[in-house]
Amino acid sequence: MRVTENSVVRFHYDLYNKDGELLESSREGEPSIYLHGANNIIRGLEQALEGSEPGARLEVELSAEQAYGRRRDQLQQRVPIKHLLFKGKLRAGMAVQLNTDKGRRSVTVTKAGRHSADIDGNHPLAGQALRFVVDVVDLREAEPEEIAHGHAHGPGGHQH
Ligand code: ZN
């Protein structure tokens, strides 16, 4: 069996930046799980996994554009603190939710003042070239419900 449209794939990964520093790893916990062809993971990684088999190891180098995109300056702004949702004391580096007229967005605080805060709505990995080392653990065909929902169900996936 090979990874193709509507495969549910479990994989372990290590994520490095261009300097070879380890940024994230799944190996201490459950493998990641996703529905192939449903845009659940970044596109460059999904393309690299196409056609691979259980047990395969892939090394995938992605430019910033192929990974989380370029950093966009217009996503940095100063907002009143009352528009932010957070617990505890607001600090630089904190991930918080921003209330906008289009719903909530995840942003990172870059500077916290008394009444306002500077925030950055870029993905923390935007603007970075990344290297993934991926091990395909196993795969199965998606259930019709998973295809209808556009994501995988079960341990490590989306639960209802
Ligand atoms: Zn679902």
Side-chain angles (χ1 to χ4, degrees):
M1 218 178 160
R2 289 175 180 271
V3 174
T4 185
E5 187 88 17
N6 296 331
S7 298
V8 171
V9 185
R10 294 200 310 153
F11 66 99
H12 273 301
Y13 71 94
D14 301 306
L15 170 58
Y16 300 89
N17 65 16
K18 68 175 179 0
D19 299 323
E21 292 168 315
L22 183 64
L23 303 177
E24 284 177 33
S25 176
S26 67
R27 304 202 192 258
E28 296 291 308
E30 288 292 311
S32 293
I33 183 170
Y34 81 101
L35 174 61
H36 192 79
N39 272 320
N40 294 167
I41 60 173
I42 57 177
R43 186 170 2 176
L45 198 53
E46 190 168 54
Q47 286 171 343
L49 279 155
E50 174 80 30
S52 57
E53 295 177 288
R57 166 164 288 197
L58 290 79
E59 297 213 15
V60 186
E61 297 200 16
L62 300 176
S63 65
E65 289 79 2
Q66 292 170 310
Y68 290 97
R70 291 179 179 279
R71 289 186 57 80
R72 292 190 288 151
D73 289 342
Q74 65 268 32
L75 293 178
Q76 299 178 45
Q77 56 186 162
R78 179 164 293 177
V79 297
I81 283 177
K82 65 183 179 197
H83 291 175
L84 300 176
L85 279 92
F86 58 96
K87 288 197 179 119
K89 186 170 160 29
L90 196 66
R91 290 180 283 101
M94 230 176 169
V96 300
Q97 297 285 313
L98 170 68
N99 267 329
T100 74
D101 46 13
K102 296 188 185 101
R104 289 180 186 174
R105 282 200 296 120
S106 294
V107 300
T108 306
V109 176
T110 52
K111 191 177 169 193
R114 186 191 284 267
H115 302 293
S116 66
D118 292 351
I119 57 162
D120 186 344
N122 286 288
H123 189 280
L125 295 174
Q128 294 196 50
L130 300 175
R131 185 168 68 91
F132 288 89
V133 177
V134 175
D135 289 291
V136 179
V137 174
D138 55 28
L139 54 122
R140 60 175 169 81
E141 280 182 43
E143 302 291 337
E145 189 185 51
E146 293 174 308
I147 295 168
H149 289 194
H151 54 234
H153 293 161
H158 182 78
Q159 306 288 344
H160 291 282

